[in-house]
Amino acid sequence: MDFPIRVYYEDTDAGGVVYHANYLNFFERARTEFLRQYNFSQQELFAKSFAFVVRRVEIDYKSPARLDDLLKVETVILEVKKASVIFKQNLWKDEICLSSATVTVASVDLVKMKPVAIPDDIRQVLQIK
């Protein structure tokens, strides 16, 4: 799935370059929209005391994004485990990959704040994507 991102002033430093931590925000939004396209909203998951939380991020910054750039975040699933999902995400400007990340999210029971198996309905959808 591809998710468009426009770089706004608030995303940048004084030189108009995207601040490094904001790449994580871009990747987070894309993962949320990835789930939404399969009818899994964060609010509905929260109502069931379930959430995906970031457990691990490995990020590679290759080239800077700048103010007003129109970017896209490409999101694919590398692996679905019992209680986690590993995503590969790339941030593109035209044909240039500006950054890539491997993000592991864990499924958590929000009441107990402990790992829990991914619900079957979600697992079935994620395993075929």
Side-chain angles (χ1 to χ4, degrees):
M1 182 202 131
D2 291 343
F3 178 69
I5 298 279
R6 174 72 70 183
V7 176
Y8 295 109
Y9 184 74
E10 67 188 24
D11 299 319
T12 65
D13 61 17
V17 174
V18 172
Y19 181 67
H20 72 278
N22 287 330
Y23 289 79
L24 296 173
N25 294 333
F26 299 160
F27 291 139
E28 177 74 30
R29 290 178 206 159
R31 287 192 312 278
T32 296
E33 293 304 322
F34 184 93
L35 290 173
R36 189 186 314 274
Q37 82 173 347
Y38 299 109
N39 298 316
F40 299 116
S41 79
Q42 300 287 3
Q43 287 183 334
E44 289 173 4
L45 297 178
F46 292 164
K48 297 176 184 177
S49 297
F50 175 84
F52 285 112
V53 297
V54 173
R55 182 175 175 271
R56 182 172 193 275
V57 175
E58 183 179 329
I59 190 165
D60 185 19
Y61 300 99
K62 300 174 183 184
S63 188
R66 300 181 184 278
L67 181 63
D68 289 330
D69 281 353
L70 181 58
L71 311 172
K72 73 175 177 183
V73 178
E74 171 189 49
T75 302
V76 296
I77 292 177
L78 293 180
E79 187 175 1
V80 178
K81 297 181 178 183
K82 180 179 179 182
S84 65
V85 180
I86 302 172
F87 290 93
K88 179 66 176 181
Q89 295 185 275
N90 294 303
L91 181 68
W92 296 89
K93 180 182 178 194
D94 302 320
E95 301 301 316
I96 300 167
C97 183
L98 304 181
S99 179
S100 62
T102 303
V103 182
T104 302
V105 296
S107 55
V108 174
D109 178 316
L110 291 174
V111 174
K112 297 176 183 174
M113 292 309 290
K114 296 200 180 228
V116 63
I118 299 169
D120 288 339
D121 59 332
I122 298 173
R123 176 186 302 286
Q124 288 173 0
V125 170
L126 296 182
Q127 285 180 324
I128 60 173
K129 302 306 165 204

